[in-house]
Amino acid sequence: MAKDYQELLDLLDLQKLPKHVGIIMDGNGRWAKQRRRPRLYGHRQGAKSVRSNVELGVELGLKYITYYAFSTENWNRPEDEVKGLLKLLKEHLIKEIPNLNKQNIVLKLLGSEQGLDKGYLNEINDMARQTHRNNGMQVNIAFNYGGRLEIVEAIKKLSPKEIAELSPESFGDHLWTAGIPDPDLIIRTSGEMRLSNFLLWQSAYSEFYVTNTLWPDFDKKEMLKALLNYQSRTRKFGGIA
Ligand code: FPP
């Protein structure tokens, strides 16, 4: 028989949680299509999943969650979907900043400024800044994010001396994710098994969890299942168990 939420929660070892979970929120479009609704309806429902997922993160005591909300390749979608996604992020932040502050959450935006309107950027950056005195869980929103661009941009900013002294350990300090530990677990919804340019450098030793559940249906119970699956893995980081 399928386990209920409390049973799953009881099985979870709170001492062995991943420090950082990255989430590729896929399947909003298919979720909407199944209901004969526009794709943006699916994205709006997806934003509600983000809310409950963040809530669970706080309840469990997760340290970092990174949500892949808009990739550098998502500009290739139809103009009204792109505009809708930009508007959805801004509206969601306006609504959520008071809740994030109440829950002591730090919000960070990870991504490029390329292609985004100055006024829009100022607004979303100002909102994120309003949470920067908090010291609880950190929610990163990968927005206008691309792993390849992140790496190339980091290299372009280095001086010849810095390049000569570069090491695999120090390179991360130049990425948008500087100061954030690498993700221990990367979750992708909707059954697709690819990274899609998400945290390329940082995911070298991440554990992957793919579920067929579409992102708008990815509720707290689904997140517990992903975390339990993670806890069943043996991480070797190239060594032996
Ligand atoms: C992928 O599903 C989803 C996206 C590209 C957008 C994700 C955005 C949100 C969940 C809402 C806003 C986020 C925040 C943090 C408030 P898809 O459209 O590729 O789905 P499909 O593969 O079924 O078409």
Side-chain angles (χ1 to χ4, degrees), residues 25-31 39 42-48 50 67-71 74 77 81 85 88-89 92-93 141 143 188 190 192 214-215:
M25 311 181 284
D26 199 5
N28 295 344
R30 273 162 282 174
W31 187 91
R39 293 178 56 80
H43 294 315
R44 272 198 296 275
Q45 208 59 35
K48 290 186 189 164
V50 175
Y67 297 95
Y68 201 10
F70 190 84
S71 76
N74 285 153
R77 295 191 173 207
E81 184 170 347
L85 279 168
L88 179 61
L89 176 81
H92 191 76
L93 292 188
I141 303 205
F143 191 78
R188 182 163 189 154
S190 95
E192 309 295 343
L214 305 177
W215 176 249

Side-chain angles (χ1 to χ4, degrees), residues 33-200:
K33 196 171 177 205
Q34 286 170 358
R35 287 158 183 79
R36 296 172 205 277
R37 302 292 296 264
R39 293 178 56 80
L40 274 168
Y41 177 71
H43 294 315
R44 272 198 296 275
Q45 208 59 35
K48 290 186 189 164
S49 283
V50 175
R51 187 176 210 273
S52 78
N53 195 267
V54 167
E55 230 174 69
L56 178 63
V58 172
E59 283 160 26
L60 297 177
L62 288 178
K63 301 277 185 257
Y64 299 86
I65 309 184
T66 301
Y67 297 95
Y68 201 10
F70 190 84
S71 76
T72 43
E73 288 71 36
N74 285 153
W75 290 105
N76 298 327
R77 295 191 173 207
E79 198 187 333
D80 60 340
E81 184 170 347
V82 170
K83 275 190 183 155
L85 279 168
L86 298 188
K87 189 161 167 255
L88 179 61
L89 176 81
K90 190 174 111 179
E91 286 177 355
H92 191 76
L93 292 188
I94 293 173
K95 208 168 71 197
E96 290 298 327
I97 293 296
N99 292 330
L100 297 183
N101 279 330
K102 253 185 243 155
Q103 297 177 93
N104 196 23
I105 290 171
V106 180
L107 176 70
K108 190 173 163 65
L109 297 165
L110 302 175
S112 164
E113 301 195 339
Q114 284 173 28
L116 291 169
D117 175 81
K118 269 259 163 330
Y120 179 85
L121 267 171
N122 286 340
E123 280 183 279
I124 59 171
N125 285 332
D126 278 352
M127 283 191 272
R129 218 169 288 126
Q130 288 172 38
T131 69
H132 283 181
R133 280 202 202 99
N134 298 334
N135 60 8
M137 184 171 85
Q138 180 164 326
V139 168
N140 304 312
I141 303 205
F143 191 78
N144 203 16
Y145 176 90
R148 288 182 170 180
L149 183 65
E150 178 183 34
I151 292 168
V152 169
E153 289 293 308
I155 293 169
K156 278 185 180 167
K157 286 200 187 107
L158 297 175
S159 65
K161 183 172 177 286
E162 282 174 313
I163 289 179
E165 287 167 359
L166 208 55
S167 72
E169 290 71 33
S170 66
F171 184 58
D173 299 342
H174 302 281
L175 297 172
W176 294 323
T177 51
I180 301 172
D182 288 343
D184 303 290
L185 169 66
I186 292 186
I187 298 171
R188 182 163 189 154
T189 56
S190 95
E192 309 295 343
M193 302 207 194
R194 53 177 176 268
L195 207 44
S196 300
N197 210 6
F198 183 55
L199 300 178
L200 292 185

